[in-house]
Amino acid sequence: KMIYYVTPTYPRPEQVPELTRLAHTLMHVPKIHWIVADDQSLCSKDVADILRRTGLPYTHISSPKPYIYKGTNFPRGVANRRAALSWLQENADDGVLYFGDDDNTIDLQLFGEIRLTKKVSMFPVGLIGDYGVSSPVVKDGKVVGFFDSWPGSRMFAVDMAGFAVNIEFLKPSANMPYIAGHEEDRFLVSLGLKLEDIEPLAANCSKVLVWHTKTVKYKKPTLRVDIKKLEDVTAYKYF
Ligand code: UGA
Ligand code: MN
């Protein structure tokens, strides 16, 4: 089965390094189709160049966040993930969907596991929240609850990186709301998912194979000050 790896992304100084690192992981994976969904009105050239160089099958689409969410505490990556969902509903009839953010770190072992997803599979995500891990709780091979530090009320308390979905289980009703913290849960609810349908992976959710890594934000140098300092150095004149 093909894995459709959906990555929302947006322009910032860390974008190219994040996508380069992710590209170099995905290039080790057989039968993968990378859907990169740009949070802009046009597909960016920086992103397109990285995609082309992977040699992987890919789709590059763009759908910017609605104007009301600009500069506020917004739900990240929703408009672009929604665009990827519509693309999948129109173009893919089998395979497995995985939402892989551009900054996460993923063990190659996970791909072999999610490829076998029949409906919805779940597994732990490391380096997340106040508990250090977010994971389904498994008893006798069945998911019976969730261990996740975010207190919001949810049926499925999981991170975006903690589940995969078989495309055949992607209902036309599948959707993701613009509600920060509830994107995953509401999406899974929109599929009509039941607790007993969940397939626990990663040795019954006892291993961490994906991490919610975060890159420290690059701070813009205060150029004006730097240039002023440089002007005091004689050698600068010869640059
Ligand atoms: C967490 C979850 O892991 C995300 O899946 C979820 O979308 C997000 O919270 C949320 O609910 O806001 P976090 O690490 O806090 O992720 O967020 P980011 O990594 O900053 O963003 C998640 C994804 O959305 C990334 O792939 C990022 O490139 C993308 N994004 C972020 C956009 O497309 N547009 C933005 O303006 C910001
Ligand atoms: Mn992130």
Side-chain angles (χ1 to χ4, degrees):
K1 282 225 172 67
M2 184 69 92
I3 293 173
Y4 291 94
Y5 198 94
V6 171
T7 303
T9 192
Y10 70 110
R12 64 209 191 272
E14 299 83 12
Q15 183 182 39
V16 167
E18 303 280 28
L19 286 172
T20 299
R21 190 179 44 202
L22 177 56
H24 292 174
T25 297
L26 300 185
M27 283 162 76
H28 292 285
V29 182
K31 292 199 81 177
I32 190 155
H33 184 125
W34 196 8
I35 302 179
V36 176
D38 237 321
D39 185 352
Q40 306 196 78
S41 35
L42 294 171
C43 288
S44 102
K45 187 181 178 299
D46 286 347
V47 174
D49 286 346
I50 292 171
L51 285 170
R52 204 172 303 114
R53 288 173 55 210
T54 61
L56 293 170
Y58 67 83
T59 298
H60 188 189
I61 50 177
S62 88
S63 178
K65 66 175 78 62
Y67 189 75
I68 44 161
Y69 298 115
K70 293 214 167 112
T72 58
N73 180 27
F74 57 93
R76 284 168 231 141
V78 175
N80 35 354
R81 282 198 200 95
R82 283 182 171 203
L85 279 175
S86 328
W87 187 92
L88 283 168
Q89 281 161 334
E90 281 173 33
N91 298 285
D93 28 53
D94 71 345
V96 172
L97 155 67
Y98 181 73
F99 289 115
D101 290 352
D102 59 6
D103 56 342
N104 291 344
T105 304
I106 197 170
D107 188 312
L108 292 176
Q109 282 184 32
L110 190 66
F111 294 92
E113 298 213 12
I114 60 177
R115 208 183 288 282
L116 306 174
T117 304
K118 290 186 204 79
K119 285 183 179 169
V120 174
S121 60
M122 289 190 184
F123 33 87
V125 181
L127 294 178
I128 190 163
D130 292 339
Y131 301 158
V133 66
S134 165
S135 177
V137 176
V138 179
K139 205 179 164 208
D140 302 326
K142 285 278 166 199
V143 173
V144 295
F146 299 93
F147 179 77
D148 184 284
S149 68
W150 193 64
S153 157
R154 290 169 293 171
M155 183 123 94
F156 307 102
V158 293
D159 179 67
M160 201 62 82
F163 63 90
V165 180
N166 191 305
I167 302 284
E168 284 167 25
F169 198 67
L170 253 196
K171 309 259 158 59
S173 60
N175 206 354
M176 193 174 284
Y178 285 101
I179 310 173
H182 292 270
E183 300 94 330
E184 299 88 344
D185 180 49
R186 297 288 187 84
F187 170 72
L188 292 165
V189 168
S190 80
L191 300 180
L193 180 66
K194 295 188 195 74
L195 206 58
E196 56 265 33
D197 291 334
I198 302 170
E199 302 143 50
L201 301 181
N204 275 327
C205 297
S206 65
K207 289 200 285 186
V208 174
L209 296 176
V210 58
W211 293 264
H212 196 256
T213 38
K214 276 184 183 291
T215 302
V216 174
K217 281 249 172 290
Y218 175 72
K219 287 205 190 69
K220 264 194 197 150
T222 43
L223 263 178
R224 214 162 52 86
V225 170
D226 284 354
I227 287 167
K228 201 163 182 303
K229 270 191 209 144
L230 283 169
E231 274 166 357
D232 296 332
V233 179
T234 321
Y236 175 70
K237 293 184 183 125
Y238 302 101
F239 288 164

